Amino acid sequence: MKKSLKARKRILVITKTVCIVGCGKMGSALLSQWVEGPEAITVVDPAGSDVPEGVTLVTDCAEIADRTFDLIVAAVKPQLIDEVMPDYAAHLAPGGYVLSIAAGYSAARLSKVMGDAPVIRTMPNLPAAIGRGVSGICPGPHATAAHTTHAESFMRRAGSTITVDSEEKLDRVTAVAGSGPGYVFEIARAYAEAAMAQGFDEDEARDMVLGTIGGAIAMASEAGAPSLEELRNSVTSKGGTTAAGLAALNGDGGLSTRLHDTLQAAYERAVELR
């Protein structure tokens, strides 16, 4: 696994036409960023979801007739792939590839379903909707270096990427980043609830908690910032209020253990789904 996340760079275009099959919550989040590029994008969604201006929307594969696409994005639910995606095998242009955002469906299985097409799996997370996502990328069967380079560039429009060399590692990315916003939202919810117990109303608690978390993360994300441990220590005076709070939060290592268990449980479930 590469140790650092790649920051977004200039847009790399090796595809001119993109077909997104399915447009649920994650597909819509990514589309909101992808639409800023120069490609002609078609969305196939039976529900007829709203799409950004400039995107072609159809409700059935038959409506794309004999058109082919340089990139086909599999954004349907995993349990629908066997039923839906075979219809799109003939619509992949020579030299093109399939990018899957479907959790729990292996690249090898999707490649077979798509007539031995090149496949790359990606696991994005919800902040992709505001261009702050973290996406794991794993090249699958028949994917070339050019396909991988394009997938990295394409996903960086929605945030940062980390490329791994096996789906087992992608499952670990899923546990850390894919599911991660849920953990953060739950921690923030519990933090705000505790603030309300200190006598603040809901809006006050939310503003203080989100402002504190956002400011702390911004500091930690600055270029050349100290380690997380050093940053923690910089606001912790011996015998002070922060030290007292930290002793209650993780003095016995309980928080560290619980977070370890959280990621392990998510990873094991990702393996089961695959």
Side-chain angles (χ1 to χ4, degrees):
M1 181 183 297
K2 295 184 180 179
K3 294 183 179 179
S4 61
L5 296 176
K6 296 180 179 179
R8 281 182 289 173
K9 299 179 181 178
R10 63 182 179 83
I11 292 175
L12 172 68
V13 180
I14 65 170
T15 63
K16 295 181 179 179
T17 54
V18 178
C19 178
I20 304 174
V21 185
C23 199
K25 185 175 293 185
M26 186 55 70
S28 295
L30 292 167
L31 177 60
S32 70
Q33 305 303 311
W34 290 339
V35 74
E36 300 299 325
E39 299 90 351
I41 299 177
T42 297
V43 169
V44 185
D45 185 22
S49 302
D50 290 336
V51 297
E53 184 178 353
V55 173
T56 299
L57 173 67
V58 300
T59 58
D60 187 85
C61 180
E63 295 181 57
I64 62 178
D66 59 353
R67 294 173 59 197
T68 60
F69 301 88
D70 300 316
L71 174 62
I72 294 179
V73 180
V76 297
K77 294 179 179 179
Q79 61 267 33
L80 295 177
I81 287 180
D82 289 338
E83 174 187 349
V84 172
M85 294 309 298
D87 291 342
Y88 292 87
H91 295 284
L92 184 64
Y97 74 101
V98 179
L99 182 68
S100 173
I101 68 170
Y105 198 99
S106 74
R109 289 173 63 193
L110 181 55
S111 177
K112 185 175 181 180
V113 164
M114 293 288 291
D116 294 325
V119 170
I120 292 178
R121 280 190 64 195
T122 184
M123 177 50 61
N125 62 14
L126 195 55
I130 59 169
R132 296 291 299 276
V134 176
S135 299
I137 293 173
C138 181
H142 313 299
T144 66
H147 293 145
T148 302
T149 297
H150 178 266
E152 290 170 340
S153 176
F154 200 56
M155 294 304 296
R156 279 198 294 270
R157 297 186 199 176
S160 55
T161 66
I162 180 167
T163 300
V164 297
D165 58 11
S166 72
E167 290 185 89
E168 187 272 337
K169 289 182 179 177
L170 189 64
D171 289 336
R172 296 185 187 277
V173 174
T174 300
V176 176
S179 299
Y183 316 148
V184 175
F185 294 145
E186 175 59 10
I187 290 169
R189 184 205 61 77
Y191 190 178
E193 188 176 76
M196 291 170 65
Q198 292 294 317
F200 298 100
D201 65 32
E202 184 174 355
D203 288 340
E204 290 171 332
R206 179 186 173 96
D207 287 347
M208 279 196 296
V209 166
L210 295 184
T212 299
I213 292 174
I217 290 173
M219 281 189 67
S221 300
E222 287 285 330
S227 70
L228 296 177
E229 183 178 8
E230 290 172 323
L231 284 167
R232 180 204 62 195
N233 292 342
S234 71
V235 296
T236 309
S237 300
K238 186 175 181 179
T241 58
T242 305
L246 286 171
L249 179 67
N250 200 30
D252 61 356
L255 176 63
S256 296
T257 298
R258 179 157 291 186
L259 285 172
H260 176 276
D261 292 345
T262 297
L263 300 190
Q264 187 64 23
Y267 163 69
E268 291 173 0
R269 181 55 178 156
V271 171
E272 289 173 1
L273 290 173
R274 179 159 51 88

